[in-house]
Amino acid sequence: MQDPTEIAGEPSPGLVSTAIQAITQHIRSEGLAPGDPLPSEAAMTRQLNVSRTVVREAFRSLSAMRLIDMSAGRRATVAKLDTGAMSMVIEHGITTQQISVHQVYDVRRTIEMRTVALAALRRTDAEAAAIAQSARLMRENFKNPEIVMEYDIAFHEAIAAASHNPVFSLIVTAFSGVTRRTWVIGWRTRSSDEDQLKMIKGHEDIAEAILIGDPRLAAEHMALHFDKSVKALLDAGIA
Amino acid sequence: MQDPTEIAGEPSPGLVSTAIQAITQHIRSEGLAPGDPLPSEAAMTRQLNVSRTVVREAFRSLSAMRLIDMSAGRRATVAKLDTGAMSMVIEHGITTQQISVHQVYDVRRTIEMRTVALAALRRTDAEAAAIAQSARLMRENFKNPEIVMEYDIAFHEAIAAASHNPVFSLIVTAFSGVTRRTWVIGWRTRSSDEDQLKMIKGHEDIAEAILIGDPRLAAEHMALHFDKSVKALLDAGIA
DNA sequence: AATAGCAACCTGTCATATAGGTTTCAAGGG
DNA sequence: CCCTTGAAACCTATATGACAGGTTGCTATT
C-alpha cells in the first residue's frame, strides 16, 4: 500500500508499531516539550491511513510507558520523565526470576554511592534539609516499620534528586518497588531496638555528610549502609 | 487542578489499567516464566467482563514495554528481560530535553566502572574473548566510523554481560541508543588517525585488564576512557 | 462586559465483522 | 504402524460504526 516503513527482508512489524514510531517521530521532529499536545487520534488516523483502533493502541502503548499523558476529552500530551515503565521492567524481571534482589542491590549500591557523593557536592540547602528530615522521621517512627520504610525510600530518592541528575533519580526510583517488597524482611533481622536504631543512625550519618558537603565521607557511609542491608537480606535467606 | 496522578479514593484508574494489573498479577500468582503462555484475549475478556478492545489495549501496552511477546495467531507469552521500554524512556528524556547527554554519560561512567570491575572478576574465557574481539574489530575497521561505533557499543554491552548481573546489562543496553546518536560527534573531534587509534587503544587496555583479571586496573582504564569521551563531546560543543 | 449554555471536538468503551496466522487432530496413503 | 496432508478450531490483526461522557471554545443573552 503506502506504508513508508515497509522494508523488504524484515517481516512487517505491524501497523501499531509503525504508528508508535510515527508518534515518537512527531514528538522529535516538532521538538515537543512536556505538556505540549499531540495530534488527536482522528488526525493520526487520517495521516497514517489506518483505523482508529491501530492509532488508539499506539497511543495507549506510549501512555503505558508514560511517555505521553492521556485523559478523556483532552488531547494526549507529552509527558514529563517518569519512572513508570522502568519500574515495571524491573518488577517483571524480579517476578519472573530473571533477576535477583541481590543483583538489584548491587546496582543500587553502585549508583547510590555516586548519587550521595554528587548530592554532597551539589545539594541545595532545601535538599539537604529534606534528606535530613527523612532520616529524622525514620527515627521518630521507628516503632512502625511501614512508615520507616516509606521514609527510607524517600530518603534515597531525595539523595538522588539532590544529585541533580534526573537519570539517577529515574533509576533509583525505579528500584523503589523492589525495596518495598524486601525492606521489611531486612528490618526483621534487626530484631532489637538497638540494631534498628543503629541502622537509622547510618542514615543520619549519610545526611550529615551531605550537609557538611563531604562526598567521600558520604559515599563511605552509603557503602556501609548497603553492606549492612545486603547482609541483613542474606541473614534472612534471600537469594 | 490537573493532577491525574494520585487522588485519594482512586475514582477510576480506567478499565485498561485494571486489565494491565490483572495480567501482571496473573503472571505473578501463577509464577509464570519467560516463554509461558498467557490467557487468550477472549478468556481475559470473559474473566474481567470488559470488551475485547480493553483487553487488547492492555496486552498491547505490556507488549510495548516488552513484558510480553505477541504475534498473530499465537497466544501472548511472558517475555524475556528486554531493554526496549527503558531505552524508549531514555530516548524520550533526551528528545524532550529533560535529560542531557552529559547526564547520561555520568550515569554510564558510574555503572560501567562497576561492570568492568565485575567483569574482570567474573568473566568466563569466552566472555573475555568476546570483549577482546570487539576491541580488535574496532581497530580493524577504524576507517569506517559506523562500524567502529557498533563494535564500541558491542564492547560495552559485552562487558556488562560479563558482569553477570542482568540489571547492569539492561541499563547499559538502554543507553546504547543515546550512544548511537552522539558517538560520531565525539569521533569527529578526534581528527587524526593517531587520536582515533589512541582511543581504540583505550579499549584494548580495558579488554586486557579484564583478561588478566585485574578489576582495579580495568576500572581505571574505563574511567580514563569515559573522561576522554566526555571531553570529546565537550570539545564538540555538546551540552 | 460578564456569564450561562450550547455546539463541536475529543477520548473511553463496546459490538461486530473479516482476514490471515497457528495449532491440532484425524483421515488417507505409504 | 508411521508419516503426510488437509481441514477445522482457535487465535490475533485490523477495520468500522456507535454511543456515552468529558473538555473547550464560541455565542447569545443578560
Side-chain angles (χ1 to χ4, degrees):
Chain A
M1 302 316 212
Q2 43 84 57
D3 189 337
T5 63
E6 196 84 30
I7 301 176
E10 191 71 21
S12 165
L15 298 186
V16 174
S17 300
T18 307
I20 291 177
Q21 285 270 121
I23 296 168
T24 56
Q25 177 58 34
H26 176 87
I27 294 176
R28 179 163 338 199
S29 62
E30 299 289 312
L32 298 187
D36 289 349
L38 275 66
S40 73
E41 294 177 1
M44 244 348 169
T45 294
R46 281 190 301 275
Q47 181 186 326
L48 298 178
N49 203 36
V50 295
S51 75
R52 189 181 155 210
T53 307
V54 171
V55 172
R56 248 198 95 59
E57 287 184 11
F59 271 97
R60 182 67 79 171
S61 293
L62 291 171
S63 168
M65 283 186 280
R66 309 289 195 98
L67 303 191
I68 66 176
D69 290 324
M70 296 175 74
S71 66
R74 273 198 297 231
R75 302 249 286 262
T77 59
V78 176
K80 277 198 319 191
L81 216 45
D82 184 283
T83 207
M86 261 194 208
S87 43
M88 288 208 70
V89 172
I90 300 294
E91 294 264 332
H92 180 254
I94 296 273
T95 65
T96 58
Q97 306 197 349
Q98 299 185 71
I99 59 182
S100 72
V101 173
H102 270 300
Q103 288 168 334
V104 169
Y105 267 74
D106 190 9
V107 176
R108 278 193 62 192
R109 188 191 137 115
T110 302
I111 287 178
E112 298 207 29
M113 280 186 63
R114 176 71 176 160
T115 56
V116 80
L118 288 176
L121 293 170
R122 321 211 267 223
R123 96 282 185 293
T124 64
D125 289 347
E127 286 162 347
I131 293 166
Q133 165 104 347
S134 290
R136 187 174 339 112
L137 287 170
M138 283 178 72
R139 179 178 290 277
E140 285 175 14
N141 294 278
F142 92 103
K143 283 292 185 192
N144 191 331
E146 301 289 320
I147 304 219
V148 175
M149 177 182 79
E150 286 307 326
Y151 284 122
D152 189 356
I153 290 172
F155 177 84
H156 289 276
E157 290 183 0
I159 290 173
S163 78
H164 293 191
N165 183 334
V167 186
F168 281 124
S169 283
L170 213 56
I171 298 175
V172 167
T173 307
F175 289 146
S176 295
V178 176
T179 303
R180 282 202 178 81
R181 287 224 234 142
T182 56
W183 191 93
V184 176
I185 298 170
W187 181 258
R188 289 219 190 90
T189 67
R190 296 178 245 253
S191 43
S192 68
D193 282 8
E194 189 190 350
D195 273 358
Q196 293 172 350
L197 285 174
K198 202 178 292 178
M199 178 266 210
I200 289 175
K201 176 67 162 53
H203 284 77
E204 289 163 344
D205 290 341
I206 294 170
E208 175 68 14
I210 292 174
L211 185 64
I212 65 178
D214 185 336
R216 196 173 310 250
L217 184 63
E220 255 172 50
H221 282 307
M222 183 64 85
L224 230 57
H225 169 46
F226 268 102
D227 290 342
K228 282 187 201 154
S229 295
V230 168
K231 185 173 178 309
L233 286 176
L234 276 175
D235 289 347
I238 295 280
Chain B
M1 85 183 233
Q2 50 129 349
D3 185 3
T5 49
E6 286 294 318
I7 299 179
E10 52 174 304
S12 163
L15 297 187
V16 174
S17 302
T18 307
I20 291 177
Q21 284 274 118
I23 296 168
T24 56
Q25 176 58 34
H26 176 88
I27 294 176
R28 179 162 337 195
S29 62
E30 299 289 311
L32 298 187
D36 289 350
L38 276 66
S40 75
E41 294 177 1
M44 236 2 159
T45 295
R46 281 190 300 275
Q47 180 187 326
L48 298 178
N49 203 38
V50 295
S51 77
R52 195 184 147 207
T53 306
V54 170
V55 172
R56 242 198 104 56
E57 287 184 10
F59 271 96
R60 181 67 79 171
S61 293
L62 291 171
S63 168
M65 284 186 279
R66 309 289 196 99
L67 302 192
I68 66 176
D69 289 324
M70 296 174 74
S71 68
R74 271 197 300 232
R75 300 250 285 263
T77 59
V78 176
K80 276 199 320 191
L81 216 44
D82 183 283
T83 209
M86 259 193 212
S87 44
M88 288 209 71
V89 172
I90 300 294
E91 294 264 332
H92 179 255
I94 296 273
T95 65
T96 59
Q97 306 198 350
Q98 300 185 70
I99 58 183
S100 73
V101 173
H102 270 301
Q103 288 168 333
V104 169
Y105 267 73
D106 189 9
V107 176
R108 277 193 63 191
R109 188 191 136 115
T110 301
I111 287 177
E112 297 208 29
M113 279 186 63
R114 174 72 175 160
T115 57
V116 80
L118 289 176
L121 294 170
R122 322 211 267 224
R123 95 283 186 290
T124 65
D125 289 348
E127 286 162 347
I131 293 165
Q133 165 104 346
S134 290
R136 186 174 338 111
L137 288 170
M138 282 178 73
R139 179 177 290 278
E140 285 176 14
N141 293 279
F142 93 103
K143 282 291 185 192
N144 191 332
E146 301 289 320
I147 305 224
V148 175
M149 177 181 79
E150 287 306 327
Y151 284 123
D152 189 356
I153 290 171
F155 177 84
H156 289 276
E157 290 184 0
I159 290 173
S163 77
H164 293 190
N165 183 335
V167 186
F168 281 123
S169 283
L170 212 57
I171 298 175
V172 168
T173 307
F175 290 145
S176 295
V178 176
T179 303
R180 281 202 180 79
R181 287 222 232 143
T182 56
W183 191 95
V184 175
I185 297 169
W187 182 257
R188 288 219 191 91
T189 68
R190 296 178 243 255
S191 43
S192 68
D193 281 8
E194 189 190 348
D195 273 357
Q196 293 171 350
L197 285 173
K198 203 179 291 178
M199 178 266 211
I200 289 175
K201 176 67 161 53
H203 284 76
E204 290 163 343
D205 290 341
I206 294 170
E208 175 69 13
I210 292 173
L211 185 64
I212 65 177
D214 185 335
R216 197 173 309 249
L217 184 63
E220 256 172 48
H221 282 308
M222 183 63 85
L224 230 57
H225 168 46
F226 268 101
D227 290 342
K228 281 186 201 155
S229 294
V230 168
K231 185 173 179 311
L233 286 175
L234 276 175
D235 289 347
I238 295 280

